[in-house]
């Protein structure tokens, strides 16, 4: 049964509808919402792109990317009936006037209709598309919302130019800047863990926490899209947005309420307490071919400029200079072509003072974002038997066991639904973006200006060998005993 979440009819316009992002993320997310009853039956979805594609061919292309059970063919057909396609240029008045006529025909005989514009586009066309929407497609008969995909600029200056241009066409409350990590179930769960559990709230400070690691690892390289990646690098692609967003949720003070603006203000307040990253607090790397030669190095990608110093790996230590966190390193680590797929938050607590047990390891709270969503606390436990030897064990909340009947929505489903409902909680506000770029712009400019050479690491490894020493120098301590998290048999010390 459809849940009527919107007060009136809505049309969603997907710009860049023929591109990879739209096919692999946007349309599958919209189908997921429809399949689970979160898109009103009257919603229409209009794809817009430069490619001249027949509607039926476009529909078949989109359907080929949808995940569904054979028994759900009727749902797929119903969803396909909602799909439309208009081709046109991104910087041409006539093309957008034609798009507007199409949207008006869809809205015939309807008193009020809303328009949601999703920009699944390269950043080079954000500004002309936003300007043309405002000039030619903006409705006066309902609300207008603009969903913008990252990257939101390359540094502070380019971000300000983009924000100024967008704000000339749309109000801040109409803009929804997507960082899809904010839509992930376990990232959204951070606030519940922190502020709904008294025992965690009591120890969430420098008095008990030694360091915090936020890790993002991918087991594949650029694989033919290195030319695009080379424009940004891993710091802009992952660290400045995904990992810093997670840091702000882990470190922020309790917001005044669950209101979107209260939450976003609390995040901004934390970012204001962080000094820009310096060269002493960051290490960069770039992968070379795998040990067996089967996987190419970054520079072996024909689309990557010869001799590029763009980092594919980075680890940085960030400090929040306030009463709660002063002196506690937040270690952000991300990389491509590593040994596994993983995103997690690892909060390592201080040593037990005057501990009477030998081989004691620190307690850790681990929030596994992906894969296999879970929360577990590493604790010391008496080893079963006659001795008093201790062993590392865990208090484990693995979602696929505890919530086996629950469906965890894809991040894009969650965020698109938030945008449709007008909930800004999980979107990036303009002042938040300013602070994020303030922290990273100086070091990004220094890396590029001075041509800092990234450390080399082998495709499929854990990253540069020097990274372990860097992380340990900032307070992280590896377990004194071997420990394997049994949920997926991945070593939790990696």
């Amino acid at each position: 049964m459809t849940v009527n979440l919107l007060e009136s009819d809505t049309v969603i316009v997907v710009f860049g509808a023929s591109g990879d992002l739209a096919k692999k993320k946007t349309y599958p997310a919209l189908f997921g919402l429809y399949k689970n009853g979160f898109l009103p039956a009257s919603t229409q979805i209009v794809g817009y792109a430069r490619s001249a594609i027949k509607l039926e061919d476009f529909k078949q292309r989109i359907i080929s990317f949808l995940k569904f059970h054979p028994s759900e063919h009727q749902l797929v057909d119903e969803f396909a009936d909602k799909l439309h396609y208009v081709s046109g240029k991104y910087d041409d008045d006539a093309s957008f006037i034609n798009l507007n006529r199409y949207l008006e025909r869809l809205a015939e005989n309807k008193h009020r209709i809303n328009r949601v514009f999703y920009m699944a586009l390269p950043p080079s066309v954000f500004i002309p598309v936003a300007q043309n929407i405002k000039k030619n497609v903006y409705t006066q008969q309902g609300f207008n919302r603009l969903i913008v995909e990252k990257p939101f600029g390359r540094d502070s200056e380019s971000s300000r130019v983009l924000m100024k241009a967008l704000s000339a066409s749309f109000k801040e409350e109409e803009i929804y800047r997507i960082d899809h990590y904010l839509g992930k179930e376990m990232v959204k769960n951070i606030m519940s863990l922190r502020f709904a559990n008294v025992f965690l709230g009591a120890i969430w400070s420098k008095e008990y926490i030694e360091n915090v690691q936020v890790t993002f690892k991918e087991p594949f390289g650029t694989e033919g899209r290195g030319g695009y990646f080379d424009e940004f690098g891993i710091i802009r692609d992952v660290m400045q947005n995904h990992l810093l967003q997670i840091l702000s949720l882990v470190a922020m003070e309790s917001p005044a309420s669950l209101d979107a603006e209260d939450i976003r203000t609390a995040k901004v307040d934390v970012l204001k307490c962080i000094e820009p990253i310096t060269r002493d607090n960051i290490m960069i790397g770039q992968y070379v071919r795998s040990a067996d030669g089967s996987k190419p190095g970054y520079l072996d990608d024909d689309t990557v400029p010869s001799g590029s110093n763009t980092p594919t790996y980075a680890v940085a230590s960030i400090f929040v200079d306030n009463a709660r966190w002063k002196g506690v390193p937040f270690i952000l680590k991300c990389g491509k072509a590593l040994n596994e797929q993983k995103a997690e938050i690892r909060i390592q607590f201080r040593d037990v003072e005057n501990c009477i047990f030998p081989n004691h390891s620190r307690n850790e709270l681990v929030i596994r974002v992906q894969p296999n969503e879970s929360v577990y606390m590493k604790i010391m436990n008496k080893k079963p038997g006659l001795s008093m030897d201790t062993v590392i064990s865990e208090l484990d909340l693995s979602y696929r066991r505890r919530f086996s009947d629950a469906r965890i929505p894809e991040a894009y489903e969650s965020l698109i639904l938030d945008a449709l409902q007008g909930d800004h909680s999980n979107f990036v506000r303009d002042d938040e973006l300013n602070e994020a770029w303030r922290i990273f712009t100086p070091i990004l400019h220094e890396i590029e200006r001075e041509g800092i050479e990234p450390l080399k690491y082998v495709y499929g490894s854990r990253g540069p060998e020097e990274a372990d020493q860097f992380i340990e120098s900032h307070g992280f301590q590896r377990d004194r005993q071997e420990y394997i998290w049994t949920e997926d048999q991945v070593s939790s010390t990696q």
Side-chain angles (χ1 to χ4, degrees), residues 277-391:
I277 296 172
T278 66
R279 195 164 173 174
D280 292 336
N281 284 338
I282 195 167
M283 177 180 289
I284 60 174
Q286 186 186 89
Y287 67 88
V288 297
R289 68 179 54 204
S290 60
D292 62 5
S294 63
K295 296 291 186 180
Y298 180 68
L299 297 180
D300 297 328
D301 186 334
D302 291 338
T303 65
V304 173
S306 177
S308 170
N309 284 340
T310 297
T312 60
Y313 175 97
V315 56
S317 185
I318 290 178
F319 294 88
V320 179
D321 190 13
N322 64 13
R324 179 183 295 273
W325 297 111
K326 191 174 183 65
V328 176
F330 285 75
I331 302 165
L332 308 186
K333 180 172 63 174
C334 53
K336 288 184 169 293
L338 297 175
N339 62 323
E340 62 179 322
Q341 175 94 29
K342 181 171 75 172
E344 71 177 22
I345 305 151
R346 182 176 298 271
I347 298 164
Q348 188 170 79
F349 294 91
R350 295 190 179 278
D351 290 318
V352 175
E353 292 187 13
N354 304 316
C355 184
I356 60 175
F357 293 95
N359 299 320
H360 173 267
S361 291
R362 288 174 174 170
N363 299 135
E364 291 180 353
L365 175 66
V366 181
I367 303 171
R368 175 64 71 96
V369 177
Q370 68 178 30
N372 303 329
E373 294 90 345
S374 23
V375 183
Y376 62 94
M377 175 76 84
K378 288 170 60 176
I379 62 170
M380 298 306 297
N381 191 53
K382 178 185 174 297
K383 193 173 185 178
L386 298 176
S387 75
M388 286 298 291
D389 293 342
T390 57
V391 63

Side-chain angles (χ1 to χ4, degrees), residues 225-466:
R225 59 183 293 272
Y228 173 79
F229 179 84
D230 202 75
E231 296 179 35
F232 301 97
I234 198 71
I235 298 174
R236 290 185 178 93
D237 194 42
V238 176
M239 187 177 284
Q240 182 269 347
N241 39 74
H242 299 335
L243 303 194
L244 193 65
Q245 286 291 328
I246 291 174
L247 181 155
S248 67
L249 289 167
V250 171
M252 73 181 188
E253 296 300 314
S254 177
S257 72
L258 289 175
D259 178 78
E261 296 312 307
D262 287 339
I263 293 171
R264 299 202 293 180
T265 296
K267 291 167 65 182
V268 172
D269 288 344
V270 165
L271 297 181
K272 288 179 177 178
C273 296
I274 299 174
E275 291 296 318
I277 296 172
T278 66
R279 195 164 173 174
D280 292 336
N281 284 338
I282 195 167
M283 177 180 289
I284 60 174
Q286 186 186 89
Y287 67 88
V288 297
R289 68 179 54 204
S290 60
D292 62 5
S294 63
K295 296 291 186 180
Y298 180 68
L299 297 180
D300 297 328
D301 186 334
D302 291 338
T303 65
V304 173
S306 177
S308 170
N309 284 340
T310 297
T312 60
Y313 175 97
V315 56
S317 185
I318 290 178
F319 294 88
V320 179
D321 190 13
N322 64 13
R324 179 183 295 273
W325 297 111
K326 191 174 183 65
V328 176
F330 285 75
I331 302 165
L332 308 186
K333 180 172 63 174
C334 53
K336 288 184 169 293
L338 297 175
N339 62 323
E340 62 179 322
Q341 175 94 29
K342 181 171 75 172
E344 71 177 22
I345 305 151
R346 182 176 298 271
I347 298 164
Q348 188 170 79
F349 294 91
R350 295 190 179 278
D351 290 318
V352 175
E353 292 187 13
N354 304 316
C355 184
I356 60 175
F357 293 95
N359 299 320
H360 173 267
S361 291
R362 288 174 174 170
N363 299 135
E364 291 180 353
L365 175 66
V366 181
I367 303 171
R368 175 64 71 96
V369 177
Q370 68 178 30
N372 303 329
E373 294 90 345
S374 23
V375 183
Y376 62 94
M377 175 76 84
K378 288 170 60 176
I379 62 170
M380 298 306 297
N381 191 53
K382 178 185 174 297
K383 193 173 185 178
L386 298 176
S387 75
M388 286 298 291
D389 293 342
T390 57
V391 63
I392 303 173
S393 187
E394 69 281 320
L395 303 175
D396 190 352
L397 168 58
S398 293
Y399 270 46
R400 67 184 182 187
R401 286 202 300 259
R402 179 63 179 82
F403 304 113
S404 58
D405 296 333
R407 176 186 177 270
I408 297 177
E410 294 292 330
Y412 276 92
E413 288 181 45
S414 176
L415 292 173
I416 291 173
L417 181 59
D418 284 346
L420 291 173
Q421 293 179 308
D423 183 354
H424 277 90
S425 301
N426 298 303
F427 294 87
V428 182
R429 202 167 66 187
D430 54 355
D431 54 346
E432 188 177 352
L433 189 57
N434 279 333
E435 292 298 327
W437 280 122
R438 176 188 62 80
I439 293 166
F440 279 93
T441 292
I443 190 62
L444 286 167
H445 284 180
E446 184 175 352
I447 289 171
E448 291 162 356
R449 182 179 62 249
E450 300 187 12
I452 297 174
E453 189 76 22
L455 299 166
K456 303 303 181 184
Y457 65 97
V458 174
Y459 194 124
S461 68
R462 293 179 53 243
E465 294 180 0
E466 297 88 342

